[in-house]
């Protein structure tokens, strides 16, 4: 969930339907059925690539300017349903907690890394 791109965790339901992600098992995200279409074809389809890149490409400016961007990447797009401080839609509702965690844990983790050198 903290990767720059999504789309590598397809979901396959009991009936063979394949979806872009296990968080998006909805008709709009159905890629096809493994009984009719090879899984590789769906996994590497243009539609799936668009889904994967949308995670990064749909970030609000508030996220793109955040010092923690490379640690978070806006987390899961499914959780992006609040507005940023400047009113732009698409901010993750967990943003404030994620930022607080990284502000707190980051210095300690950097110190531990230095000690292990």
């Amino acid at each position: 969930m903290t990767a720059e791109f999504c789309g590598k965790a397809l979901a396959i339901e009991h009936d063979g339907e394949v979806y872009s992600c296990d968080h998006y098992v909805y008709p709009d995200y159905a890629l096809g059925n493994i009984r009719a279409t090879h899984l590789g074809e769906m996994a590497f389809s243009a539609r799936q690539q668009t889904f994967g890149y949308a995670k990064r490409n749909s970030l609000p400016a508030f996220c793109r300017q955040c010092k923690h961007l490379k640690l978070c990447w806006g987390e899961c797009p499914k959780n992006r349903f609040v507005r940023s401080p400047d009113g732009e839609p698409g901010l993750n509702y967990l943003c404030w907690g994620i930022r607080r965690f990284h502000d707190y844990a980051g210095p300690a983790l950097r110190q531990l890394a230095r000690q292990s050198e």
Side-chain angles (χ1 to χ4, degrees):
M1 285 200 241
T2 59
E4 183 176 2
F5 306 106
C6 283
K8 296 181 181 177
L10 301 175
I12 303 175
E13 288 290 287
H14 68 283
D15 62 356
E17 284 297 305
V18 178
Y19 297 87
S20 290
C21 176
D22 62 337
H23 295 146
Y24 286 89
V25 181
Y26 304 109
D28 288 348
Y29 298 94
L31 297 171
N33 193 293
I34 57 173
R35 292 185 181 114
T37 308
H38 189 276
L39 184 59
E41 187 178 327
M42 290 182 275
F44 295 102
S45 67
R47 184 169 179 213
Q48 184 64 3
Q49 289 179 24
T50 299
F51 173 84
Y53 287 124
K55 179 179 182 186
R56 180 199 59 199
N57 297 343
S58 65
L59 284 170
F62 184 75
C63 292
R64 292 190 308 269
Q65 297 164 3
C66 179
K67 67 182 181 180
H68 303 300
L69 174 64
K70 292 184 178 181
L71 300 170
C72 170
W73 290 106
E75 211 256 338
C76 180
K78 190 170 183 180
N79 296 329
R80 298 181 189 171
F81 52 81
V82 298
R83 293 186 177 274
S84 67
D86 61 355
E88 189 177 1
L91 184 67
N92 192 304
Y93 83 101
L94 300 169
C95 175
W96 303 112
I98 292 169
R99 289 168 65 105
R100 192 167 180 188
F101 169 79
H102 287 297
D103 283 339
Y104 175 80
L109 292 172
R110 283 188 290 280
Q111 183 178 5
L112 284 172
R114 282 190 298 273
Q115 289 175 357
S116 67
E117 291 176 347

